């Protein structure tokens, strides 16, 4: 017997709250660590980000293979307890080398959490519509992007890095409690097991084209994660912290709007949505590089956040459908490795220009992403027409 609508809504609301708490804690930690280490220069910030990405590159495929067929609840609970412990150690005033090592360990365990959540999100949300589940995740992340930097700035000012990181540890424990509560949930809905088959609506027809656009856009814009803190410090030095938090919140507002838009665009072929949203993302980064003023940053970040939400929700729903629920963990593990590789490439290329030439980092990255996406729009439209037919 299917669950009642009220129970389905309760499951979705609980999942949203847990994702919000988890993502909010991460935003607090990132905010505190970024501003704490920014005084050491762009290379230190870049090494910190690389430490958060490299474990996913190395472990993603293996984690996905190991999690295939496992229940998400116990895995999520164990991984979250481990992350809480690492966050407590990270808060103990380590030297830069120890901080980087702990961030790498935290990222290694986070690869498990991210993979199992992505693979099981439609099951945990209690819905058969993948876009709805991944839209829910995007909405939680967007709200966390609004609240996290605000909480992070307050905690950083009042309690320093230690207080912010202990708050992050507490959020991991909250996620662990949720994992225990849903310990009986199956990673694969019902009794499909290995007989589960992929659903329609994946990246058929234009798969290689779409994935090419995905990784070019990700790599071209990823380096700006290092450059952004220097962009606001160099171009709005009198209010860098406030602009950093406000721009992040503006991006999150866009993500919230884009999450709702992604569901309404579900009838459009995925390859078309990826090409068009990738074009908008590239244009936004280009505009920020050409005119890094407060007005431009806040305005374009709303638009960029909306495009990013459509981009991410489309991609994850398509992967889930292509792999099928039985193989979703394996697919998302490989996806994590690929995305982290693209981000690492972007960081390595951009870091030498992040400090002192941050606007150029945005300009070149945005132009590259825009050019790649625009070059494939017409091909994507043709592929989408063929898929619809």
């Amino acid at each position: 017997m299917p669950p009642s609508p009220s129970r389905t809504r309760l499951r979705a609301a609980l999942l949203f709250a847990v994702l919000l708490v988890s993502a909010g804690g991460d935003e607090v930690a990132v905010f505190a660590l970024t501003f704490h280490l920014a005084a050491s220069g762009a290379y230190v910030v870049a090494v910190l980000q690389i430490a958060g990405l490299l474990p996913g590159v190395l472990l993603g495929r293996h984690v996905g293979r190991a999690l295939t067929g496992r229940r998400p609840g116990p895995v999520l609970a164990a991984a979250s307890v481990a992350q809480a412990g690492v966050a407590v150690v990270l808060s103990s005033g380590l030297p830069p080398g120890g901080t980087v090592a702990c961030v790498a360990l935290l990222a290694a365990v986070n690869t498990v959490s991210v993979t199992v959540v992505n693979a099981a999100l439609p099951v945990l949300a209690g819905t058969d519509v993948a876009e709805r589940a991944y839209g829910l995740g995007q909405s939680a992340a967007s709200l966390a992007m609004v609240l996290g930097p605000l909480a992070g700035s307050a905690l950083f000012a009042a309690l320093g890095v230690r207080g912010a990181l202990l708050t992050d540890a507490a959020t991991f424990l909250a996620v662990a409690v949720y994992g225990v509560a849903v310990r009986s949930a199956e990673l694969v809905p019902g009794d499909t097991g290995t007989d589960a088959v992929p659903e329609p609506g994946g990246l058929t027809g234009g798969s290689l084209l779409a994935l090419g656009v995905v990784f070019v856009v990700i790599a071209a814009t990823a380096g700006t994660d290092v450059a952004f803190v220097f962009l606001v410090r160099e171009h709005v030095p009198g209010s860098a912290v406030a602009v950093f938090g406000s721009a992040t919140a503006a991006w999150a507002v866009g993500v919230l709007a884009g999450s709702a838009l992604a569901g309404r665009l579900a009838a459009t072929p995925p390859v078309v949505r990826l090409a068009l949203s990738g074009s908008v993302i590239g244009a936004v980064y280009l505009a920020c590089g050409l005119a890094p003023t407060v007005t431009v940053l806040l305005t374009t970040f709303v638009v960029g956040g909306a495009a990013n939400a459509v981009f991410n929700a489309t991609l994850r729903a398509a992967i889930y459908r292509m792999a099928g629920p039985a193989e979703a963990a394996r697919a998302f593990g490989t996806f994590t490795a690929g995305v982290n590789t693209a981000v690492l490439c972007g960081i390595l290329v951009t870091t030498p220009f992040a400090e002192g030439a941050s606007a150029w980092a945005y300009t070149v990255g945005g132009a590259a992403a825009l050019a790649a996406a625009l070059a494939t729009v017409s091909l994507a439209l043709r592929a989408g027409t063929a898929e619809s037919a």
Side-chain angles (χ1 to χ4, degrees):
M1 178 181 295
S4 64
S6 60
R7 185 173 180 180
T8 299
R9 287 193 294 270
L10 179 61
R11 286 178 61 176
L14 179 59
L15 177 61
F16 179 85
V18 169
L19 293 174
L20 175 62
V21 167
S22 176
D26 292 343
E27 290 290 339
V28 168
V30 168
F31 185 97
L33 286 174
T34 299
F35 270 91
H36 176 60
L37 295 177
S40 300
Y43 282 96
V44 174
V45 175
V47 168
L48 189 69
Q49 294 198 11
I50 290 171
L53 293 167
L54 192 57
V57 174
L58 301 176
L59 301 176
R61 294 183 64 187
H62 303 292
V63 167
R65 187 180 301 113
L67 294 180
T68 298
R70 295 186 180 274
R71 298 177 186 274
V75 174
L76 185 60
S80 298
V81 170
Q83 287 174 290
V86 176
V88 170
V89 174
L90 190 58
S91 72
S92 61
L94 299 172
T99 297
V100 170
C102 274
V103 168
L105 181 57
L106 194 62
V109 185
N110 189 56
T111 301
V112 176
S113 297
V114 168
T115 300
V116 75
V117 168
N118 273 323
L121 205 56
V123 177
L124 295 174
T127 177
D128 294 328
V129 182
E131 284 85 0
R132 187 177 299 165
Y134 293 105
L136 181 73
Q138 287 282 300
S139 297
S142 69
L143 188 55
M145 288 174 67
V146 175
L147 300 178
L150 296 177
S153 61
L155 288 168
F156 185 72
L159 303 175
V161 179
R162 179 178 174 81
L165 293 175
L166 288 176
T167 299
D168 190 30
T171 65
F172 286 129
L173 293 178
V175 176
V177 171
Y178 172 79
V180 173
V182 298
R183 61 187 179 279
S184 62
E186 296 280 358
L187 184 61
V188 180
D191 192 26
T192 54
T194 56
D195 295 328
V197 296
E199 303 174 31
L203 297 176
T204 57
S207 296
L208 293 177
L209 169 65
L211 290 176
V213 172
V214 165
F215 288 113
V216 169
V217 171
I218 291 172
T221 57
T224 57
D225 288 340
V226 178
F228 183 52
V229 65
F230 299 103
L231 184 75
V232 295
R233 289 177 65 178
E234 291 165 9
H235 295 275
V236 283
S239 53
V241 174
V243 173
F244 185 97
S246 298
T248 304
W251 186 275
V253 170
V255 171
L256 190 61
S259 299
L261 182 62
R264 295 190 176 95
L265 296 175
T268 305
V271 65
V272 176
R273 279 179 274 156
L274 288 172
L276 294 178
S277 58
S279 299
V280 174
I281 292 171
V284 163
Y285 278 75
L286 178 60
C288 291
L290 293 176
T293 65
V294 174
T295 301
V296 170
L297 289 174
L298 296 183
T299 302
T300 58
F301 268 40
V302 174
V303 177
N308 191 68
V310 173
F311 192 84
N312 286 337
T314 297
L315 181 58
R316 283 160 176 76
I319 290 172
Y320 183 81
R321 286 193 169 113
M322 280 195 300
E327 294 293 326
R330 190 189 304 270
F332 277 106
T334 302
F335 170 70
T336 297
V339 167
N340 283 13
T341 299
V343 173
L344 279 172
C345 291
I347 289 175
L348 292 174
V349 170
T350 305
T351 297
F353 313 101
E355 190 172 10
S358 55
W360 276 106
Y362 266 82
T363 301
V364 174
L370 178 60
L374 285 178
T376 59
V377 166
S378 61
L379 295 175
L381 291 173
R382 288 201 293 272
T385 301
E387 290 175 22
S388 297

